[in-house]
Amino acid sequence: MEDDLFASGHRACAGCGSALALRHLTKAAGKNSVFTIATGCMEVVSTQYPTTAWGVPLIHTTFENAASVAAGIKEALNQQGKEDTNVIALAGDGGMVDIGFRALSGSLERGHDVLYVCYDNGAYMNTGVQKSGATPFGASTTTTPAGKQSHGKSEWQKNVPFIALMHGVNYVATASIADLDDFKKKVKKALEVEGPKYIHVHCPCPIGWGFDTSETIDQGRKAVESGAWVLYEIEDGNFSISYKPSERIPVKDYLSGQKRFKHLDEDDVETIQDHVDRNWEELKKLEGLDLDLLKLL
Amino acid sequence: MEDDLFASGHRACAGCGSALALRHLTKAAGKNSVFTIATGCMEVVSTQYPTTAWGVPLIHTTFENAASVAAGIKEALNQQGKEDTNVIALAGDGGMVDIGFRALSGSLERGHDVLYVCYDNGAYMNTGVQKSGATPFGASTTTTPAGKQSHGKSEWQKNVPFIALMHGVNYVATASIADLDDFKKKVKKALEVEGPKYIHVHCPCPIGWGFDTSETIDQGRKAVESGAWVLYEIEDGNFSISYKPSERIPVKDYLSGQKRFKHLDEDDVETIQDHVDRNWEELKKLEGLDLDLLKLL
Amino acid sequence: MEVKQGAQAIAHSVKKCKPDVCSMYPITPSTELPEEIAQLVADGELDATIIRVESEFSAISGCVGASAAGSRAYTATSSQGLALMTEVLFAASGMRLPIVINVVNRALSAPINIWNDQQDSISQRDNGWLQIYCESNQEAVDTTIQSFKIAEDEDVLLPIMCCTDGYILSHTYEPVELPDEEEVQEFLPEYDPDHAYLDPENPMTQGPFAYPKPYAALRKDLSDAVNGSKEIVKRVHDEFAEKFGRSYGNGLIEEYKNDKDTALVSMGSICGTIKSTLDNRNDAGLMRIRCYRPFPEEEIKKALEGKDQVIVLEKNVSMGHGSGALYNEIKSILPRSTTVHDIVVGLGGTDIAEEDINNMIDSLSNKENGVKRWLLEKGGKLQKNRGEK
Amino acid sequence: MEVKQGAQAIAHSVKKCKPDVCSMYPITPSTELPEEIAQLVADGELDATIIRVESEFSAISGCVGASAAGSRAYTATSSQGLALMTEVLFAASGMRLPIVINVVNRALSAPINIWNDQQDSISQRDNGWLQIYCESNQEAVDTTIQSFKIAEDEDVLLPIMCCTDGYILSHTYEPVELPDEEEVQEFLPEYDPDHAYLDPENPMTQGPFAYPKPYAALRKDLSDAVNGSKEIVKRVHDEFAEKFGRSYGNGLIEEYKNDKDTALVSMGSICGTIKSTLDNRNDAGLMRIRCYRPFPEEEIKKALEGKDQVIVLEKNVSMGHGSGALYNEIKSILPRSTTVHDIVVGLGGTDIAEEDINNMIDSLSNKENGVKRWLLEKGGKLQKNRGEK
Amino acid sequence: MTETTTGGTIKDPKSSKKNKTGTWRTFKPNVDKEKCIKCGKCGELCPEGAIRITEEGAKVNMDYCKGCGICAKECPVKAIKMEKEEK
Amino acid sequence: MTETTTGGTIKDPKSSKKNKTGTWRTFKPNVDKEKCIKCGKCGELCPEGAIRITEEGAKVNMDYCKGCGICAKECPVKAIKMEKEEK
Amino acid sequence: MKQIRFHGRGGQGAVTAAEILGLAASEEKKWCQAFPFFGVERRGAPVKAFTRISDEYIKTRQQIYKPDYVVVLDSTLMDVVDTEEGNPSTIVVNTKRTPEELDLSTGDVQTIHATKIALDEIGKPFANTPMLGALAAATGVVKPESLKKAIKEKYPGKIGEKNANAIQKAYEELKK
Amino acid sequence: MKQIRFHGRGGQGAVTAAEILGLAASEEKKWCQAFPFFGVERRGAPVKAFTRISDEYIKTRQQIYKPDYVVVLDSTLMDVVDTEEGNPSTIVVNTKRTPEELDLSTGDVQTIHATKIALDEIGKPFANTPMLGALAAATGVVKPESLKKAIKEKYPGKIGEKNANAIQKAYEELKK
Ligand SMILES: Cc1ncc(C[n+]2csc(CCOP(=O)(O)OP(=O)(O)O)c2C)c(N)n1
Ligand SMILES: Cc1ncc(C[n+]2csc(CCOP(=O)(O)OP(=O)(O)O)c2C)c(N)n1
Ligand code: SF4
Ligand code: SF4
Ligand code: SF4
Ligand code: SF4
Ligand code: SF4
Ligand code: SF4
Ligand SMILES: [Mg+2]
Ligand SMILES: [Mg+2]
């Protein structure tokens, strides 16, 4: 077996879905790749001076700027005549969806030939499970705790893949560590596309979500099987669902395995089920449409 | 005639489309409104200490944060029991679309009951006509100058209304100073909607675009009549075009009146015409669709 | 007395001050503050609106909006978060908005490090915010309450940072007395500003554009307000002492065994370790700076009058001087007859042990000119600046 | 000699240094730099990639990416833009990335003001960037070229700010000599770093997480590098003088008629006005600080040795001191026998006229202790800090 | 010395009216009262809010009119002409 | 004194391998070589990259295995059992 | 002043143990400080926590280098970290093994199978609370009553009760 | 040293005039400084620009309070701003009117209808370049040749030619 480019000895928690995603992301991208990563779990666990888990060049600067550091790298490498080096900007959901979102949006708009990967573990894990824009509705986090007056997070998660799409991005995809072949295929496909491309990969976190470390894959799978997390691709403005469960399992089966959803009552679960059903229907509709989503302004 | 809430004596250039937009925005919003504005032409021309053009409360802080200052204002007023005060965050295209975009995105995601208005004059006018994310393709600006190696801006403008929509916003609209009734109607409608709402108003700028000060309305009108600027509304995820020219005029008629497009050759103009045609078709398609644009994840 | 984690204790102190709007973003090691406050709100114990912003830039901007609207606004942050706020911090003081930040001090990148030093707030020392540094969790609890009162005083109207050392205080459990909520309410008047509200009946414009003359005049106003706040910091401290029975020096500085020829000067939690060290020797005292902004020049001068030797221990570096920022501020006000040494200590969480302090006092002398040294690890040798003979 | 606008002249100077990546964002009054560079690229005169970022945070981040990849990276900014970069500025120096920024100095909000003072860069004085302040457009042109060479020197490897006063220099047309491009290329070696590149054949990790000990050690390294760069600032200045025939004092400070009992101390364009004023009197000299970071302590001390009176004129305020930031830095290194006055001048673009400088020299005396004063408008009276008797 | 307010707040709404931008003008609109049909278009479209529609027709407040010419251009009956401001 | 590199760059790729995270483990995977069909699933899914598939079946590198139990849970033939780490 | 160091793994409750020991001291009207070693290691990695107990207000903020007592929540750690660092006078280890089998250099080594007690009394393998009972028995640094009071205050209801029982059980077992 | 102030409106080219005057001085191997008054006013609003000319390097950076000469590009400004501020010795105004009609207190007042010249020679109403010719004629601060050379260098080709002609025309007109 070829040596991983994201090496053993990193300090992620046992059972970390995000670390698994990075192992495979680096594998799919291959040696001729340069990464930049935002502050977050994956950076902290992989770069403790004077050792590094990375077998490819990596730079970390701040929490906000992975996308614009990537732009600088890409343009510098182009100037150096190394146009064929993959440049990949990596951030957690906090780093990509929230605090790094201006940088992402600006970079997408300018059209750098960079792959942006958001490893979405659904909250700010590095700092102890605070809500992010990607945290799902109803999840209890340390900043949206369930309490007498609260049922966890009260907003739906931010739809970053579609937001990225609306920037005119030619390749947008969602993925999950529950389907690593799909994820790797998408990474490779994305890297073939000229210009900006965006992949959002769902990475269960035993600590933040509250499940046993052995269930990481299983939780990811339940998200996909229930439709709480939908795998899709949008190529040149054409939307397609990558995987359709023969029958979607109830979203309750997904929620009930996690402490962060423990407090939800039946109404809450129904609300979420409705939402998931509704989205699924709309997405299926969208798939059949003759509509170029890249040409709306 | 009732006194304007954005008063005479402001220092905008003669013929300023943005100043006109503000006159009518304040009128439509009415006295019970609080504004915050990002740095930019409209702020600089209206708040020269110790005088102000504003007849409603206004606060300016920085270029980046109109949306988050608005969030603070709204939540404070709610705490004070003044839930019915309109809170409006105002920024130019630079302040809203580029540097203020993280703040906008975050505020939209959190769902504050705030109206965000981008007065889009197509570049950073206050600092002397530099490119913004909203600058149209091909426009010569001081940072995307036409030159031996360049035909002006090489990216299409950022589709902020649809990006805002994808945040789950219930009311999104485009407008133009060429149709002030439509603009005011939309402002009023938006203010009736609970939660975040977004209006993007097209404001020709004689200085930055290069046309005579008397042609401000005319230039705006040509944008709309050619389809280079489309007036539409998206209410609860339902898209509708607000105005369909009986016959769209060639986009060349719009471009040719402006110095910023002077350098474009026939091919460039054709590229733009194609783009405009294509978008128009897609938008018309979208209008007919049974698709809830708010339910895609 | 309750045994509480520092950050939790501060959060409860904040709660008693009843902020209207808390606009917050998590960052180690201040994270427990937004968390605890979120829990208090979730449990209905605090009626405040939390804005769970997407960045610290928006955290402070949300505070600006709320404060400009006439409400009590609060946030907490550390390190990178504070640095990200920089631009708005200058604006907030310029606009005279009495926002309170609990800064839980932490080192700045690069390299990234989550532990304590005071570079983050010290590098904000020009911006017109008041800064108070706490030695213990009790002081942090008490100073948080004082902070609101100082900031909102009509002769002050300035934002304030209440600074506590990350982890060393924020994550340490120790007994604290949490003041009674009603008494806090008595102590802290309602905030009802005359210069900052957003009332359609009475429209005002805040944050205008100013030409040179009014700009310069407004900067001078700000400077005068910052300087003038010294008296209010002291007064509020005394009033607090009167009502709650706890005091910290004179509110500006605190002297400990400061009747020796040698005085140590420092800020924050390290002063506890210094005191403990000094308890076992008789040749040095401590002058702790509690109020760093405004800089209590006269008080410091007086406290260090006639010293042979002053040793400044500081957790920050002003690059290009080979020393911390405090050094110049102290040195510039003392006579040349006083030897002033500077020791940069505790960067990025390196521990300073009593043994280190003993070592410093033993190895430095007033015979030589003042020296600049670094302590890079616990028990380590004092390092010279490279190139120094 | 060509008559050129300051900003344009600097842009042409940048062009001759052939940066690979210019990651830039417009802000008054540095806007002409990105504009002019964009035009040079549009016209095919400069083969650089421009990144037209959406904010200054990304401007400096783009530079970090490019510099970390081993390329020559450049940006220009002012005021709010520099403040917005704060967090990344600390990171860039910590990572030892020799980025060059032309800072066109401007006041900071609030209130918002677009004119010159030096608060923006002076408030970044701790962060490990070198800072050089220019008196004239010629010096700005020359110092821009020197900046790349200093920053990239293998004993330095630090980012640098080349500071010029907004409008006063940037928007003034005056004759400048633009060095020949080939000569500049001879002067400025190719940048080929050993510590920062992103080569898949030779993977390195930059910007790691560090525990206390390595963190503190890396901060000390940084401090030593900043201090050590003093020699290289001087050397590069001398080499430049040798090759191009222009010099500025000794590269660190410049003395002008500095053989009097009174010395004025200042930075930037105001020094021209001071020189002109001193040409008409015989009782005072000037010591101009050109290199502010690292702080050339020995050189300054020597230049001010034996003075009766030193008058610091500075365009910034360190709030809470009632004076500028430079004051403490100067005062702390001078003997008590030298009276040191501080005058905050030129805030937000208030003009300082020769009449004002004459007035200062006439009205201050070494009889009294040092005083802190403000000049708030041209021809105005020197103001005291409120509360001062 | 310059007068200031705490934090630079301006408590004088619409005080920009003190700033007579009419001085910026090089051309000035001249309304032909005969032609004017009082439709209000010019008043709506003036960026300065410098036109009131009175009984006698459109009336330009020369204190603020900057002479942009929008009113003249947009008047449906061409009742306004721009003329060079003369001294 | 602590050794440093200019700017804190790390020129030693994959040097994290010096960090034996096997010490974190409280449970350890035990592969039943008889049952293992060498499908590779466990190796693919191990976040530590601690499993190699050899001729004899899945082989866990105990230097890095943190004992999460994913391999055991996901093995299609249940060839892996988690056992308490004993000292 | 007494200084105690706890060794455990992320997730095993070493910090909570340090805190509860502090709370117990506080019940006895003593001053206390409890703090973790401030690492960023993830769950499973070795962690340390500390408690200081004194009759007087504790001024010092330095870390603890010379603990009087050491508590090891997980004996597998003993191969990984130097649990005897700083020469404690007493070390209490959660293990099935006897002190002799551990072969340590510390004078007073005491062992107890606290995980078993935890499983018996609490139903979960959280050895941190019973280990406090063991520490009390081995050193007398606080009374078991104070520990039980502290734990019940921190966790009112069933959980507190169960933990208190575990403390008592461990205390008694080691007192024998 | 000579100091000149230009009055115009945003868009009328006062800054360019100041610059070209500096360029012309430079052609004569003199030192110069040209700068605007740094306002944020918008197009149409009154603006000022300045030029300093000296045989030696100019050290000072103060603004110009006592101009030797003043140039007014747009006479409508004279009701709005104090164009005589600082007591210039000469003031040159672009107007149809005669110096007497202007009724100023400055000693030497000269008028010229530069807009007409501009329209005639350049085809656009940009009076800034002809006004430089007028200034040269009225004060001799630079030679008209230097101005023409400067303008041609700045705007090579037709535009430069036309402007040079306008300068010459204005120079001659006022010299008469
Ligand atoms: C400006 C700034 N604010 C806050 C932080 C603290 N911080 C570091 S990582 C992080 C959360 C990261 O969340 P995410 O991006 O989702 O990655 P994860 O840790 O979940 O993998 C936070 C809040 C920081 N480093 N910088
Ligand atoms: C952080 C920061 N960067 C840059 C600027 C300079 N700046 C002020 S306004 C402006 C452009 C504004 O553009 P836009 O938002 O489109 O408004 P407009 O001026 O076009 O009305 C710029 C670049 C600033 N004030 N702050
Ligand atoms: S907290 Fe979650 S995301 Fe972070 S390292 Fe642990 S398992 Fe991975
Ligand atoms: S530059 Fe354009 S947007 Fe700005 S004030 Fe002038 S006309 Fe209006
Ligand atoms: S637009 Fe013309 S007709 Fe209408 S009111 Fe104005 S002047 Fe009269
Ligand atoms: S010319 Fe322009 S400013 Fe004057 S009244 Fe007409 S529209 Fe208004
Ligand atoms: S998953 Fe099971 S069967 Fe497959 S290789 Fe691993 S141990 Fe063998
Ligand atoms: S238990 Fe977890 S870490 Fe160990 S080999 Fe299995 S999957 Fe990898
Ligand atoms: Mg995350
Ligand atoms: Mg704009």
Side-chain angles (χ1 to χ4, degrees), chain B residues 49 52 58 64-65 79-80, chain C residues 49 61 69 71 87 205-206 209:
Chain B
Y49 195 76
T52 178
L58 172 85
E64 305 90 308
N65 66 359
Q79 278 277 343
Q80 292 170 17
Chain C
T49 301
S61 299
S71 287
E87 188 190 359
T205 290
Q206 296 184 53
F209 182 97

Side-chain angles (χ1 to χ4, degrees), chain A residues 8 12 23-24 49 213 221, chain F residues 5 16 44 46 48 66 74:
Chain A
S8 305
R23 262 192 73 208
H24 290 277
Y49 194 78
T213 55
R221 198 179 288 129
Chain F
T5 49
S16 61
E44 184 190 358
C46 172
E48 313 310 321
K66 290 175 186 156
E74 297 293 332

Side-chain angles (χ1 to χ4, degrees), chain A residues 11-19 40-42 45 119 121 125-126 129 203-209, chain G residues 42-43:
Chain A
R11 292 152 205 256
C13 310
C16 175
S18 303
C41 269
M42 288 305 97
V45 303
Y119 71 91
N121 49 28
M125 294 311 171
N126 185 43
V129 200
C203 300
C205 161
I207 310 307
W209 299 15
Chain G
R42 290 307 193 261
R43 191 175 288 196

Side-chain angles (χ1 to χ4, degrees), chain C residues 278-295:
Chain C
L278 298 183
D279 284 348
N280 294 311
R281 55 192 302 158
N282 248 317
D283 53 356
L286 167 71
M287 195 271 301
R288 168 165 84 93
I289 300 179
R290 179 175 184 260
C291 177
Y292 178 56
R293 282 293 179 277
F295 193 71

Side-chain angles (χ1 to χ4, degrees), chain C residues 115 173-174 273 279 351 354, chain G residues 34 38 59-62 65:
Chain C
W115 295 280
Y173 295 80
E174 65 184 20
T273 309
D279 284 348
D351 192 33
E354 299 189 11
Chain G
F38 315 133
K59 294 185 194 116
T60 199
R61 299 278 173 192
Q62 69 177 357
Y65 298 97

Side-chain angles (χ1 to χ4, degrees), chain C residues 171-207:
Chain C
H171 284 62
T172 291
Y173 295 80
E174 65 184 20
V176 286
E177 182 92 46
L178 286 176
D180 174 75
E181 187 151 326
E182 266 177 38
E183 285 185 62
V184 172
Q185 289 302 309
E186 281 165 29
F187 177 73
L188 179 62
E190 280 214 5
Y191 175 51
D192 182 20
D194 200 45
H195 72 300
Y197 49 77
L198 294 167
D199 178 4
E201 294 300 315
N202 230 334
M204 70 162 60
T205 290
Q206 296 184 53

